[in-house]
Amino acid sequence: MCAAPAPLPDPGQAVTLDDLVERLRLLKVWAGAPSYERITAGINAEWARSGRPEAEMARKTTVVDCFRSGRKRLNTDLVIAIVRELHPDQGYVAQWRQALRAVAGEISLAAQVRVHDALPGGQPGFVGRETELAWLCEAAAGGSVVISALEGMAGVGKTQLALHAAARLAATHPRVLFVDLRGFDPKQPPAAPSAVLDGFLRLLGVPGTEVPHDLPSLVGAYRARAAGALVVLDNAADEDQVRHLLPGAPGSVAIITSRRSLTGLPSVTHLELAVFTAAEAVAFLEHAVGHLTLGNDPKALSRIAERCGFLPLALTLIVGHIRAVEGWTLTDHADRLDDRHQRQRLDDGVQLALDASYQRLPEDRRRVLRLVALHPTGEFDEYGAAALTGLDLDDTRVHLEGLRRDHLLQCSSGRYSFHDLVREHAAERAADEDPPSVRQAARASLAGYLLATASLAMDVRYPADTHRRPRVAAAKTATPELTDPDAALTWLEAEHPALVTSVETGEPLHAVQLSLTVFRHLNRDRWTTALTMSTGALAAARTLADPVLTARTLHDVTAALLELGRPEDAVPVLEEAADLLRTTDDRDGEIRTLVLLGVTGTRLGRFREAADHYYRALELNTDHAVEAHALVNLGAVEERLGLNASAAQHLERAERLYADLGDVDGEAWAISGLASVEIELGRYDSALDHFTRILDIHRNRGDVDSEAWCVQGLGLLFSRWGERDRAVREYTRALTMFRELGDRTGELYVLNGLGEATDDVAVLTEALALATELSSVDQQARAHAGLGHALGSREHYEQAVELYTQLAMPEAEPLRALLAAAP
C-alpha cells in the first residue's frame, strides 16, 4: 500500500519566524526535497525572465539561510520566490505573503512594552493572604537571589499579592523594576524579552545609545547592573519569556506571576495561588461593603462570595457593583446573584461579575468602556481616551474615574489600563454592540490624535527639523500642552509603544506620516525599533505609489541600518531611493540621498567616495540644517584623508550653523570633530579648549557616552602633546567608562591610543583582535602600526601600509618611507 502524501504545510498557523522556517522546511520535503542548488537555479531563472539584474540574483548561501532557525528577520522576496519554486500555486503563495506580514506585525507588537521603575498602585483594601505574604517576605529576607513564582488561574489575585509583597520588600532594595509581560493579553502578543531588557537597562541608567542589541549582551548588561534590585515580572506567558529576565545578581529578588506552572525555571520557589478561602472572601466583602445593611439573611455575604467562586477579581468587581446601587441590602444582592445563577445566564464567577458590573453602568459609560478597550496597547491617558470616545476632556475624566472606582480600569501615574479579562470582555461587547463603522471611526480618531500630538511634540523637542517633517492636520480632540522640550520628551517616551503600533496597524498614509514624524526621536537610541517602524512604513508607502514618500522612508530605513552597524545592507536601499528620485524634482530628497551615501561610504571605508558624495550634496543644498550635517560628516572624512585644513574650515562652518539653529547636540558634535582635527594640525591649546567646552555640555546633559568619547579625545591630545602620564590617565578613565557602557567601538579606540602612548604590546594585540572582530579596517591598520613600532616588526608595518593604502589614508606614506629606509 502506498503511503499517503504529506500534507501541504499551512503557513497561516505560524506565530513566530521559527514557525515559518519550520513550515518552509516541511514544504521543501513536500516538494520532494530538491537540492538548494536546484532551488537557487530555479529562482534565478525566474528572476532573469522578469528582468532582474545579475547583481541581484540569489546566492545558494542566502537561500540556505532562509531554512535556518533563530533568525531575526527574513527576506520576504526571497522566501516568496522559494515558495513559488517549490509550489507555484498563486493562492498558496498568497497565503505565504499574508503569513509573512502577520508574523512581522506580531514581532513588532511584541517589541513594544512599557517598563516601570516603581510599583503600580495596588488594589485598595487588600485583605487576606497573610500566610502567603509571610512566606514571600521570609524567602526574600536572606539577601540572596530569591525567585518566587506565583501561579494560578486568571483573577485569583496573583498581581495584587505580588504588588503587596513587593511594597513590603521595596524599602530594603535600592531599585524596583516592574513590567506587565502580557502573557495572556487578548489583543497583544507577549512582550519580547529583549524589549523588556532594553527598557530595564534604560531605567538602570544605561544611555540608550549604549544598550546592546543582541539578547546575550542584553542579559549580561542587565545582570551586571541589577544587584539588589526588586523585579516584578507580571503575567508571564512561560519559562522562555521569563528566563532571561531573572536578575541573577546578589541581593536581587524577582517575583513572577503567571497562569502557568513555571517548573522549568532554575532555583525557583513556587507558590500556587488558589482562590480565597470562604473566610477570606467574607472578610474581603466585610472590609469593602460592611457598612451596608445586611438585610434578613445573616449569611448574605457568604452567598455572594460563593456565587463569585471565592475569586478575588470577581469579588472586586461585585463590590463595585454593590457600592453603585443605592437602597439595596446585601441580602438583595445575594438574592439577585442567586436568581441569575438559577437561570443559567452565566457559568462562572468572573463572567457573572463582569456582566453585573457592565450592565449596571449607564449607557454612556458602557460606551466609553467599550471604545477604550480598542486602544492598541491597552494603556492610555485621558487624552487618548478622549480621542477614542470623541468626548471632551472633562467628561472623559469623569467616566474614566467612574470606571476606576468600579474596578473596571486600573490607574497608575495618570495612565489607565485593564485587567486582561476585563479588556477581553469589553472588546467582545464592542464587537457585539458597536457597528464596525463606529469602531473604525474611534480607531481613526485615535490615529489622528497620535499623529497630530507627535508632530507637536517633535516640533517642540527637535525644532531644527520642523520643516522636514510632514505637515499634518490638527487633532479633533483635546491634546496635552507640550510647551517645553522636557514635556514633549515625556509624552514621546510614554506613547512610543502606541506610536509604533499605530504605524504597524494604521492606514498607509497615516503609517508613513507618523513614521516620518517620530523617526528622529526613535533613531537616537532605539535603533531596532526605528528600523522596524520605518520598514513597516516603507511597505505602506509602496502601496501609495508615491515616489517621494517611498524615498523618504527608504532614507529612514538607511539611517537605522547605519546606526545598527549594517552599512552593507544600506547600499541597495539607497540605490532604490536614488532610482525613485530620478523620476521626481525632489531636490531635498536627492541631497539627503547623497549625504546618506556619504555616511555609508565612510562606514565601509570608502573615504574618497564618501567625500565626493558630501561635496555634491553641498553643491545642491540650500538648507542650513542639512548643510551643517553634511559639513560635519565631510570634516570627519577629510581628516581621515589628511585634508585637515579643509576639514577645520568645514567643521567651523558647521559649528556656527548649529549654533544659529539652536541645535546643542549638533554644535557639540561639530566642536568634537574640530578638536580632533586641531590635534592633527598641532593646535593643541585650541583643541584642549574645545574638549573642555564640550565636556561641560555632555556632563550637563547627562550624556555619558559622548563624555567618554571626549575623554578619549583628551587622551589622544595629551599623547600627541608629549604628556604621556596625562594621556595614560585620560585613556584609562575613558576605557573604564566605555567598558561600563558596553561601547566596544569606544573601547577599541582607547586600546589603540593607550597602546600607542605606552608601546604596550599586550594592549595593542588586544586592540588588533577587537578591531578584527568589529571589522574596523582603519583601526586594524592603526593597531598593526602600533605593534610595528613597539616590536620593531616589519611584518606589522607592511600590513598597516597595505590597509591604509586600501583606505586611501595618508598614514600609509610615512610608514612606506620608514620601510624603504629600513635595512
Side-chain angles (χ1 to χ4, degrees):
M1 180 179 293
C2 295
L8 190 63
D10 180 6
Q13 296 179 355
V15 176
T16 66
L17 283 180
D18 278 352
D19 290 343
L20 277 176
V21 168
E22 178 60 26
R23 282 157 178 77
L24 196 63
R25 292 191 193 116
L26 292 173
L27 178 60
K28 183 173 181 287
V29 173
W30 178 90
S35 67
Y36 293 117
E37 290 84 354
R38 178 179 165 186
I39 295 173
T40 306
I43 291 170
N44 287 335
E46 178 61 31
W47 281 358
R49 284 192 292 271
S50 66
R52 183 170 293 212
E54 178 66 28
E56 297 181 15
M57 291 299 170
R59 298 183 179 88
K60 176 189 170 184
T61 54
T62 57
V63 171
V64 172
D65 281 344
C66 290
F67 290 85
R68 288 177 177 161
S69 302
R71 297 180 60 84
K72 301 299 182 184
R73 61 187 184 279
L74 285 173
N75 181 328
T76 299
D77 288 343
L78 183 56
V79 171
I80 292 300
I82 292 170
V83 171
R84 187 179 285 113
E85 178 64 21
L86 295 173
H87 185 50
D89 176 81
Q90 289 304 314
Y92 187 63
V93 172
Q95 291 178 37
W96 273 88
R97 288 190 187 279
Q98 178 59 34
L100 284 161
R101 284 194 294 267
V103 169
E106 191 82 352
I107 291 168
S108 174
L109 291 173
Q112 308 312 314
V113 60
R114 279 178 58 81
V115 298
H116 306 271
D117 58 0
L119 298 172
Q123 202 71 257
F126 184 92
V127 298
R129 307 297 196 194
E130 290 302 324
T131 300
E132 293 88 347
L133 277 171
W135 177 87
L136 280 173
C137 293
E138 181 181 355
S144 59
V145 178
V146 176
I147 309 298
S148 302
L150 310 179
E151 299 158 357
M153 64 184 290
V156 79
K158 300 181 296 295
T159 297
Q160 293 307 316
L161 175 59
L163 291 177
H164 206 64
R168 291 190 181 182
L169 296 169
T172 58
H173 292 80
R175 299 302 304 263
V176 174
L177 300 171
F178 173 88
V179 63
D180 178 358
L181 295 172
R182 300 193 310 257
F184 308 93
D185 191 287
K187 297 291 184 181
Q188 287 186 282
S194 57
V196 176
L197 291 170
D198 180 291
F200 278 173
L201 285 171
R202 293 166 193 268
L203 293 180
L204 291 168
V206 179
T209 53
E210 302 307 327
V211 173
H213 304 301
D214 62 287
L215 187 58
S217 298
L218 283 165
V219 173
Y222 165 60
R223 290 178 177 163
R225 291 165 173 79
L230 170 62
V231 184
V232 180
L233 306 171
D234 194 26
N235 288 322
D238 52 33
E239 292 94 337
D240 288 339
Q241 187 187 27
V242 172
R243 185 171 287 108
H244 300 297
L245 306 180
L246 303 180
S252 59
V253 175
I255 300 177
I256 311 160
T257 75
S258 179
R259 296 183 196 173
R260 294 175 179 158
S261 178
L262 306 179
T263 55
L265 294 176
S267 305
V268 174
T269 308
H270 290 270
L271 171 61
E272 185 172 349
L273 202 61
V275 298
F276 276 153
T277 65
E280 286 176 327
V282 170
F284 177 88
L285 291 171
E286 285 177 339
H287 180 84
V289 298
H291 62 285
L292 296 182
T293 302
L294 184 62
N296 59 16
D297 182 1
K299 296 184 178 180
L301 288 178
S302 295
R303 290 165 56 203
I304 293 171
E306 184 178 356
R307 288 293 172 235
C308 290
F310 307 116
L311 196 64
L313 175 61
L315 291 165
T316 300
L317 293 169
I318 284 296
V319 164
H321 171 69
I322 291 172
R323 286 174 175 172
V325 179
E326 296 181 1
W328 284 37
T329 67
L330 293 173
T331 299
D332 293 330
H333 286 291
D335 289 343
R336 179 175 181 271
L337 294 178
D338 282 344
D339 178 63
R340 294 177 67 83
H341 177 74
Q342 289 166 6
R343 287 186 284 133
Q344 298 183 340
R345 293 183 59 180
L346 296 156
D347 56 7
D348 64 54
V350 174
Q351 273 298 104
L352 182 151
L354 285 169
D355 190 68
S357 298
Y358 178 78
Q359 291 297 339
R360 70 106 192 134
L361 294 174
E363 174 50 38
D364 56 350
R365 191 157 298 172
R366 291 186 210 171
R367 174 181 175 275
V368 170
L369 182 66
R370 295 194 305 266
L371 293 181
V372 296
L374 302 177
H375 192 280
T377 68
E379 181 183 302
F380 50 88
D381 62 8
E382 57 194 21
Y383 295 97
L388 281 163
T389 61
L391 300 174
D392 65 41
L393 205 56
D394 288 338
D395 286 344
T396 300
R397 288 173 180 145
V398 169
H399 285 301
L400 292 177
E401 282 303 296
L403 292 169
R404 183 190 62 79
R405 286 194 301 272
D406 290 341
H407 309 296
L408 292 167
L409 286 178
Q410 303 159 357
C411 184
S412 180
S413 303
R415 298 189 69 82
Y416 295 86
S417 59
F418 292 88
H419 187 288
D420 52 5
L421 294 180
V422 178
R423 187 182 183 195
E424 184 174 7
H425 181 270
E428 288 175 354
R429 290 290 185 175
D432 290 341
E433 300 179 30
D434 296 313
S437 59
V438 170
R439 285 177 276 137
Q440 183 178 355
R443 292 188 179 102
S445 177
L446 177 65
Y449 158 76
L450 289 172
L451 177 57
T453 312
S455 180
L456 172 62
M458 291 295 294
D459 287 351
V460 172
R461 182 68 184 179
Y462 307 98
D465 292 345
T466 296
H467 65 290
R468 296 182 57 201
R469 287 187 285 270
R471 292 299 88 199
V472 301
K476 296 179 181 179
T477 56
T479 57
E481 292 187 14
L482 305 177
T483 55
D484 65 83
D486 288 341
L489 178 62
T490 298
W491 187 89
L492 289 166
E493 288 295 296
E495 297 292 350
H496 101 260
L499 294 171
V500 177
T501 303
S502 187
V503 170
E504 293 295 323
T505 60
E507 294 296 319
L509 182 58
H510 165 79
V512 174
Q513 289 183 323
L514 184 54
S515 178
L516 292 174
T517 296
V518 301
F519 177 80
R520 177 179 175 180
H521 173 71
L522 292 178
N523 206 45
R524 290 170 67 250
D525 55 15
R526 286 188 170 92
W527 303 308
T528 301
T529 300
L531 179 60
T532 298
M533 182 185 65
S534 56
T535 301
L538 176 60
R542 284 175 169 147
T543 69
L544 297 172
D546 184 321
V548 172
L549 285 179
T550 303
R552 292 188 65 185
T553 57
L554 286 164
H555 290 154
D556 285 352
V557 170
T558 298
L561 287 170
L562 291 173
E563 292 291 356
L564 288 167
R566 294 166 52 187
E568 65 285 350
D569 292 337
V571 173
V573 178
L574 282 174
E575 290 173 347
E576 181 182 351
D579 289 342
L580 283 170
L581 290 170
R582 290 191 188 101
T583 66
T584 74
D585 58 357
D586 181 12
R587 174 170 286 196
D588 288 343
E590 182 182 356
I591 292 167
R592 192 174 185 211
T593 302
L594 288 166
V595 171
L596 288 169
L597 282 168
V599 177
T600 304
T602 303
R603 302 285 175 84
L604 293 170
R606 304 167 186 170
F607 299 134
R608 291 196 182 279
E609 180 182 312
D612 289 341
H613 288 308
Y614 292 133
Y615 289 136
R616 177 61 179 153
L618 290 168
E619 289 174 1
L620 297 174
N621 180 64
T622 58
D623 179 272
H624 283 172
V626 175
E627 180 184 359
H629 186 77
L631 285 169
V632 172
N633 281 301
L634 177 58
V637 170
E638 288 178 326
E639 178 191 351
R640 296 189 179 194
L641 293 172
L643 306 174
N644 293 305
S646 177
Q649 292 177 357
H650 289 141
L651 289 161
E652 287 166 351
R653 167 71 176 164
E655 178 190 354
R656 292 192 297 271
L657 288 172
Y658 277 128
D660 291 343
L661 291 166
D663 189 334
V664 177
D665 291 333
E667 186 178 0
W669 182 29
I671 294 170
S672 179
L674 183 58
S676 295
V677 170
E678 286 174 329
I679 293 174
E680 300 301 323
L681 292 170
R683 302 174 186 170
Y684 300 140
D685 288 322
S686 180
L688 180 59
D689 289 342
H690 281 115
F691 277 131
T692 302
R693 179 182 170 191
I694 60 173
L695 195 58
D696 289 338
I697 292 174
H698 298 321
R699 284 173 175 165
N700 289 335
R701 293 173 70 85
D703 189 343
V704 182
D705 179 58
S706 296
E707 180 185 348
W709 278 102
C710 187
V711 174
Q712 182 272 153
L714 286 169
L716 178 62
L717 168 63
F718 291 131
S719 180
R720 296 287 182 86
W721 215 337
E723 299 191 23
R724 178 184 179 279
D725 290 344
R726 293 181 72 182
V728 170
R729 185 164 60 248
E730 297 298 335
Y731 274 137
T732 302
R733 187 155 65 99
L735 185 61
T736 300
M737 296 174 74
F738 281 130
R739 284 177 170 167
E740 288 179 350
L741 291 167
D743 186 336
R744 306 194 74 204
T745 300
E747 181 181 351
L748 168 59
Y749 273 70
V750 172
L751 288 172
N752 259 329
L754 187 59
E756 290 169 347
T758 60
D759 281 339
D760 190 317
V761 173
V763 172
L764 289 165
T765 301
E766 185 179 358
L768 179 58
L770 184 55
T772 303
E773 180 183 344
L774 297 178
S775 300
S776 178
V777 180
D778 62 325
Q779 292 301 307
Q780 289 179 50
R782 185 182 178 188
H784 278 301
L787 286 167
H789 184 270
L791 296 170
S793 167
R794 185 179 187 88
E795 180 182 352
H796 280 295
Y797 277 137
E798 287 174 344
Q799 291 186 66
V801 168
E802 180 181 347
L803 293 173
Y804 278 134
T805 301
Q806 173 187 325
L807 297 170
M809 293 180 70
E811 286 85 348
E813 287 308 314
L815 292 177
R816 191 175 285 114
L818 185 152
L819 286 170

